Amino acid sequence: MICLGIETSCDETSVSVIRDGREVLSNIISTQIEIHKQYGGVVPEIASRKHLSNIAYVVEEALNVANITFDDIDYIGVTYGPGLVGALLVGVAYAKSLAYAINKPIVPTHHIEGHIAANYLTYNELKPPFMALVVSGGHSHLIYVKDYTEFEIIGKTRDDAVGEAFDKVARVLGLPYPGGPEVSRLAEKGEFTYKLPKTKFDNYDFSFSGIKTAVINIAHKEGEKLRREDMACSFETTVCEELTDNCFLAMKALNINKVALAGGVSANRLLRKMIQEKADELGYTAYMPDLKYCTDNAAMIASAAHYNFISGKYYDIKDKLDLNAKANLRIGE
Ligand code: KG4
Ligand code: ZN
């Protein structure tokens, strides 16, 4: 079965063709990072307009690289939330029109389910159940993946998402958007010398606004004297420790011994190392997506769409035209 996947939830216009949920035939990503960099973050209006001018070309390239035509598509998977509503709308409207025109089913797909499915593209043998540590620009969640389309939220951030905290700290350290990779690069040259606050709740929730504020306060107080490399290292280490500790605490309590990383921050080398080391120590198995599937891409959306499709979560666009983008869509909704 061939799925065309479409992802436009933030600042990448991406279209992919995959077979049977796991085999990637093409995965085209047209990123807008250089445009948004000038503004220090994603400007939603500009993102929507760029998706609109890009989408048809990105679809064409995805079909060309996969060496297929519209006739070969069996179903269309599209991200309908969460994300920037105007950006999501472009992908959703395109997917609906295409589904109508070629008379193929549409599979509305959750962006975070896509990030989790990035692991299926990397590990052919991986099957639920497992714990997913979802860390992106908009989300920090611990999700128990009971089955391909069955999820339970075990913990979540009470304020900022991890990627968001990385991006804000990057700004304080004078680094460009997107800040995560930049902070990580700077951190490699520094040492863990700044003591920063960690949060602990009586469940498996996270919080990252306290540490972000602490970094801002120290940066203001120290001014020119701030050791930027050491601050980047201290911030990255503290955040990765909090994520790792909380994740394994939940896994032990729930008796789950497989963990998969997901989302843009899963590209972080220190987080990958800490999760791998802790898993090795406990005799657990850790999965982390190939770097090209960590940040937003349509192959992961097509993979998640495949599992929704085979479990019957799709419909014929001619029966139901009202699919809409949902900025705050919750997982499992
Ligand atoms: O998943 P993603 O591409 O978009 C959302 O769904 O939010 O994640 C983007 C986030 C950004 O905040 C970016 O700074 C962060 O992922 N990120 C990283 C790294 N690479 C991307 N954060 C830390 N270390 C990295 N290597
Ligand atoms: Zn994402």
Side-chain angles (χ1 to χ4, degrees):
M1 296 291 263
I2 297 278
C3 176
L4 183 84
I6 299 178
E7 154 65 38
T8 64
S9 69
C10 190
D11 59 349
E12 340 277 349
T13 317
S14 181
V15 180
S16 168
V17 177
I18 79 169
R19 182 183 285 130
D20 297 333
R22 305 246 179 182
E23 188 191 346
V24 180
L25 305 183
S26 67
N27 183 34
I28 311 300
I29 304 169
S30 166
T31 180
Q32 308 173 4
I33 285 180
E34 285 308 316
I35 299 163
H36 297 290
K37 219 175 209 168
Q38 308 166 49
Y39 306 96
V42 179
V43 184
E45 279 301 317
I46 298 178
S48 320
R49 269 184 267 156
K50 275 281 146 197
H51 286 309
L52 201 55
S53 56
N54 283 344
I55 185 90
Y57 299 105
V58 182
V59 169
E60 198 178 317
E61 198 180 336
L63 296 178
N64 286 342
V65 172
N67 201 17
I68 65 157
T69 67
F70 283 133
D71 290 340
D72 301 311
I73 296 171
D74 293 302
Y75 47 93
I76 299 164
V78 62
T79 308
Y80 75 117
L84 302 169
V85 75
L88 288 163
L89 260 177
V90 178
V92 168
Y94 186 94
K96 284 166 72 173
S97 327
L98 182 62
Y100 197 94
I102 65 174
N103 203 14
K104 290 290 156 68
I106 192 160
V107 190
T109 303
H110 192 288
H111 184 74
I112 296 303
E113 292 183 24
H115 274 302
I116 294 170
N119 288 282
Y120 302 138
L121 301 172
T122 308
Y123 301 94
N124 209 21
E125 74 285 7
L126 176 63
K127 291 191 190 94
F130 57 85
M131 182 71 90
L133 176 60
V134 181
V135 280
S136 75
H139 294 83
S140 309
H141 277 98
L142 264 176
I143 296 175
Y144 178 27
V145 183
K146 295 178 171 171
D147 206 338
Y148 288 106
T149 62
E150 214 186 312
F151 306 90
E152 185 184 333
I153 296 177
I154 304 298
K156 60 181 185 314
T157 181
R158 295 199 180 177
D159 38 61
D160 292 6
V162 198
E164 195 182 349
F166 264 98
D167 293 340
K168 284 184 186 157
V169 164
R171 213 187 275 204
V172 173
L173 298 178
L175 300 166
Y177 173 85
E182 301 279 345
V183 170
S184 193
R185 254 192 297 278
L186 191 63
E188 281 187 64
K189 298 187 213 144
E191 280 175 43
F192 186 2
T193 53
Y194 286 102
K195 178 130 184 56
L196 297 168
K198 268 192 200 165
T199 322
K200 187 75 209 93
F201 297 110
D202 53 9
N203 60 6
Y204 303 108
D205 281 352
F206 303 101
S207 163
F208 299 104
S209 82
I211 182 166
K212 175 197 69 186
T213 309
V215 173
I216 294 171
N217 290 343
I218 296 170
H220 281 166
K221 207 167 110 216
E222 296 200 354
E224 294 281 290
K225 291 205 289 284
L226 181 76
R227 300 181 312 277
R228 291 167 65 254
E229 292 84 359
D230 291 350
M231 181 54 95
C233 175
S234 308
F235 169 77
E236 186 184 48
T237 311
T238 310
V239 164
C240 292
E241 275 174 1
E242 181 167 336
L243 288 168
T244 308
D245 290 350
N246 213 9
C247 176
F248 282 92
L249 213 59
M251 286 169 70
K252 279 185 200 161
L254 297 169
N255 210 10
I256 303 168
N257 59 14
K258 290 198 287 184
V259 57
L261 279 181
V265 185
S266 63
N268 184 276
R269 79 193 149 83
L270 183 65
L271 182 62
R272 293 169 85 99
K273 182 167 171 269
M274 280 188 187
I275 294 282
Q276 188 63 60
E277 282 175 359
K278 191 77 191 170
D280 291 346
E281 182 191 318
L282 297 169
Y284 290 7
T285 314
Y287 300 88
M288 16 209 115
D290 199 294
L291 289 180
K292 63 178 180 286
Y293 299 131
C294 285
T295 43
D296 292 348
N297 67 87
M300 67 183 198
I301 300 301
S303 178
H306 171 77
Y307 291 102
N308 280 320
F309 181 78
I310 56 178
S311 70
K313 294 182 177 173
Y314 65 88
Y315 54 84
D316 185 339
I317 194 76
K318 289 184 177 151
D319 297 336
K320 195 171 175 298
L321 266 170
D322 62 354
L323 174 64
N324 208 348
K326 287 195 182 166
N328 298 314
L329 182 68
R330 281 197 304 233
I331 196 151
E333 204 175 299

